[in-house]
Amino acid sequence: MDGIALLTVFVLAVFVGYEVISKVSSTLHTPLMSGSNAISGIVLVGTIAVAAHTESTAIFVLELVAIVLATVNLVGGFVVTDRMLRMFRARGRKEREPRA
Amino acid sequence: MSENWTALLYLVAAVCFIFALKGLSSPSTARVGNLVGAAGALVAVLVVFAAERPDRLVWILVAIAVGGAIGTLAARRVAMTAMPQMVALFNGVGGAAGALVALLELAEGTSGDLAHLAVTAFTVLIGSITFSGSVLTFGKLQELVTGRPILFPGMRWVALATVAGTLAAGVWVAVDGEVLGAVLLAVLTLALGLLLVLPVGGADVPIVISLLNAFSGITVAASGYVLSNTLLIVAGTLVGASGTLLTKMMADAMGRSLVNILFGAFAGGSTLGSTTESDRPVRSAGPQDVAILLGYARKVIVAPGYGLAVAQAQHAMRDLTDELEKRGIEVTFAIHPVAGRMPGHMNVLLAEADVPYDKLKEMTEINPEFRTTDVALVVGANDVVNPAAHSAPGSPIYGMPILEVAHADAVVFLKRSMRPGFAGIENELLYDAKTTLLFGDAKESLSKLVAAVKAL
């Protein structure tokens, strides 16, 4: 894809991001950070794409490192966000989580 | 898989991410949203395997298994009080992966035009800053490194030299596509990340975490440009927007500009403040006296701060709330945007202790309520309730919007000692006639209060 098309995607995404994020409840700012953080772990897709066909072993090994890092970010981010969001409950709902 | 299918499925994943963030507009939809986001990520990863058909598939799968195991384990084990460190670390690894992927794409020799190389250099730069800055932030929060601002003689010159070197290396990469230049750039910007975070004090960490969050998103968006991958651009930009907005909110909540927060310590050390204890007289009381104050109130507002997290006192806090409510007392929580060490820190802690989120009120919503409140109970907070923000023009927190606890009929502080808060500023409210202090670890004090209220 050419640079201008990519730039178009970027600019539109800025506006979508701004619109969506400005509606996030302030109660959920920490899950917002960890959840958006998990989304940035999608760089994993990029690391796999580069690792897929490299000829050089050195590059491949470093790519594996990048894959591990990106997966930690992606998987860890979603799991920890889920753990947090499970805890939020409104008044009146009686189910209690067992204490750690 | 055809290119069109790949692009189409990436679009599906991008839409999932947007829904994930949209879900966060309310706690009732947030969890489903997060799962939709995770599903989107899964789709994207499956698509990249189908589209690229990697040569050494097994190794890649092993790397993913290792990363997944580490991530899951860390995410499940971490205590809610340690969430800021965890997020800082996850930010860091994401940034590192982005920088690495750009660097390796360059090393592959698939060099493009000037714009492409410039974005590659930028990705390495911002990703490396994110990584080293996040690791240092983690160290500060985990107390492996002191939480106070760190400055050394000539730091300003070291910083300027590093910035100059970074620019030179960046231009070298952009013009020549030189791999060595990119490595140099990575080393210099790793140093730059450290120099950025070293002078930042503990109370300003919420800003730094938000900023690094934005940086990690920008890294991913930039790497998406390098790899011509629209999904990375969209996902990274969403994260970048989120981090940027949070940073702005935090800076507004502190009444300071971002530049002042990041570089304030360089300018004159005003945020260093003092660490000395004051010997002015205060009124301290035992748990029984405070229990009487609370137990016969009609309306109590709790202002929690970082001390609640440090003492892991959220469950004891919840127990006290329950006891007071049994007596028909109205209890609400006043949440300052920068209370704790990351945006929303107090909300997560209290949610863990099962305090319903609708009892937690934002600053602007709760401030008028203090006038009709019998007791304001300040638990491990200091700067966010310090009236110096209104009355002392020379103070580093001057201009910061605060929780107006001073308007309540009585104010109770649960404090470990008379040491000033993180900004190191004296709090006049501690010496006020309507203020009572209960010294001790927040968790112990709260447990004693629970027992004392029960005994009333």
Side-chain angles (χ1 to χ4, degrees):
Chain A
M1 204 181 285
D2 67 0
I4 296 299
L6 294 172
L7 190 65
T8 308
V9 171
F10 167 73
V11 172
L12 294 178
V14 169
F15 283 94
V16 172
Y18 188 86
E19 280 304 311
V20 175
I21 309 291
S22 53
K23 291 190 180 66
V24 170
S25 147
S26 69
T27 298
L28 296 175
H29 275 166
T30 295
L32 169 63
M33 294 201 73
S34 70
S36 63
N37 191 228
I39 290 175
S40 69
I42 201 63
V43 71
L44 175 62
V45 166
T47 60
I48 295 172
V50 178
H53 301 296
T54 182
E55 308 273 305
S56 149
T57 308
I59 290 180
F60 185 68
V61 170
L62 286 172
E63 273 303 338
L64 289 182
V65 173
I67 290 175
V68 171
L69 292 176
T71 319
V72 168
N73 190 181
L74 186 71
V75 176
F78 279 118
V79 172
V80 87
T81 308
D82 185 63
R83 212 183 120 199
M84 261 187 255
L85 291 174
R86 240 178 1 208
M87 301 181 321
F88 283 88
R89 65 172 190 99
R91 201 187 308 234
R93 272 172 48 205
K94 276 294 165 205
E95 44 176 311
R96 291 192 66 163
E97 274 224 348
R99 285 184 191 179
Chain B
M1 189 183 284
S2 86
E3 236 172 80
N4 279 344
W5 273 107
T6 309
L8 205 59
L9 288 169
Y10 278 162
L11 179 63
V12 169
V15 170
C16 285
F17 291 157
I18 292 169
F19 273 113
L21 295 172
K22 205 171 145 54
L24 287 167
S25 58
S26 153
S28 56
T29 54
R31 196 172 170 210
V32 176
N34 186 56
L35 294 175
V36 170
L42 184 66
V43 167
V45 172
L46 292 176
V47 167
V48 75
F49 275 114
E52 300 287 342
R53 300 185 184 283
D55 301 332
R56 285 171 277 195
L57 183 64
V58 179
W59 284 104
I60 293 176
L61 290 176
V62 168
I64 288 179
V66 170
I70 296 172
T72 310
L73 216 63
R76 299 187 77 123
R77 289 270 174 87
V78 62
M80 281 301 147
T81 45
M83 205 44 77
Q85 294 85 307
M86 185 90 241
V87 170
L89 211 55
F90 281 162
N91 267 335
V93 293
L100 210 49
V101 84
L103 189 70
L104 294 172
E105 175 72 2
L106 187 71
E108 271 288 275
T110 46
S111 59
D113 54 5
L114 180 72
H116 189 261
L117 288 173
V119 177
T120 305
F122 177 72
T123 313
V124 172
L125 175 149
I126 195 96
S128 306
I129 290 181
T130 309
F131 177 64
S132 62
S134 297
V135 170
L136 183 57
T137 306
F138 169 81
K140 284 194 173 202
L141 289 167
Q142 193 71 27
E143 291 177 0
L144 303 172
V145 187
T146 170
R148 306 195 67 77
I150 301 170
L151 292 160
F152 55 82
M155 190 166 182
R156 206 183 302 203
W157 300 112
V158 174
L160 282 177
T162 315
V163 169
T166 300
L167 288 177
V171 170
W172 189 14
V173 174
V175 174
D176 272 0
E178 178 58 52
V179 180
L180 187 64
V183 174
L184 186 67
L185 183 65
V187 173
L188 283 167
T189 45
L190 283 172
L192 210 54
L194 296 180
L195 289 168
L196 186 73
V197 178
L198 276 173
V200 175
D204 295 339
V205 161
I207 301 252
V208 172
I209 292 202
S210 316
L211 191 67
L212 291 168
N213 188 223
F215 281 4
S216 75
I218 295 167
T219 308
V220 173
S223 72
Y225 185 92
V226 172
L227 303 173
S228 292
N229 186 317
T230 46
L231 176 62
L232 296 195
I233 294 181
V234 174
T237 307
L238 292 174
V239 181
S242 144
T244 309
L245 269 172
L246 280 174
T247 309
K248 189 182 172 306
M249 282 181 206
M250 294 301 110
D252 289 350
M254 288 181 150
R256 287 159 68 193
S257 72
L258 186 59
V259 173
N260 176 284
I261 290 158
L262 290 177
F263 306 112
F266 273 119
S270 64
T271 53
L272 291 168
S274 77
T275 45
T276 48
E277 293 188 18
S278 158
D279 47 10
R280 288 164 64 190
V282 293
R283 184 171 65 187
S284 74
Q288 277 76 19
D289 305 320
V290 175
I292 290 169
L293 206 54
L294 291 170
Y296 294 101
R298 276 169 302 121
K299 186 168 162 190
V300 173
I301 297 181
V302 181
Y306 186 51
L308 183 85
V310 172
Q312 314 233 347
Q314 66 271 36
H315 295 292
M317 186 70 249
R318 149 89 195 206
D319 292 341
L320 181 64
T321 312
D322 284 353
E323 277 311 314
L324 293 176
E325 285 185 332
K326 263 188 227 159
R327 299 176 63 89
I329 301 163
E330 184 191 339
V331 185
T332 41
F333 290 82
I335 309 295
H336 193 280
V338 294
R341 287 294 180 263
M342 72 185 297
H345 194 183
M346 292 299 123
N347 306 70
V348 170
L349 279 189
L350 292 169
E352 189 200 10
D354 226 19
V355 175
Y357 60 79
D358 39 12
K359 272 183 192 292
L360 277 47
K361 307 285 183 200
E362 283 179 55
M363 179 166 62
T364 45
E365 190 186 348
I366 196 95
N367 266 344
E369 302 257 326
F370 282 108
R371 289 185 189 283
T372 57
T373 298
D374 302 301
V375 185
L377 178 65
V378 182
V379 185
N382 195 1
D383 298 334
V384 296
V385 298
N386 191 342
H390 291 323
S391 56
S395 163
I397 59 167
Y398 184 69
M400 172 165 114
I402 57 164
L403 296 170
E404 311 280 1
V405 292
H407 291 157
D409 288 341
V411 182
V412 176
F413 276 86
L414 302 192
K415 277 179 78 65
R416 266 187 301 189
S417 69
M418 282 303 286
R419 261 185 49 205
F422 233 108
I425 314 138
E426 275 258 56
N427 191 340
E428 285 300 321
L429 192 57
L430 295 174
Y431 310 101
D432 196 281
K434 64 167 116 176
T435 301
T436 309
L437 279 80
L438 175 56
F439 287 110
D441 170 79
K443 191 175 179 178
E444 276 170 33
S445 294
L446 285 166
S447 307
K448 283 182 197 158
L449 281 177
V450 172
V453 170
K454 264 188 196 163
L456 282 180

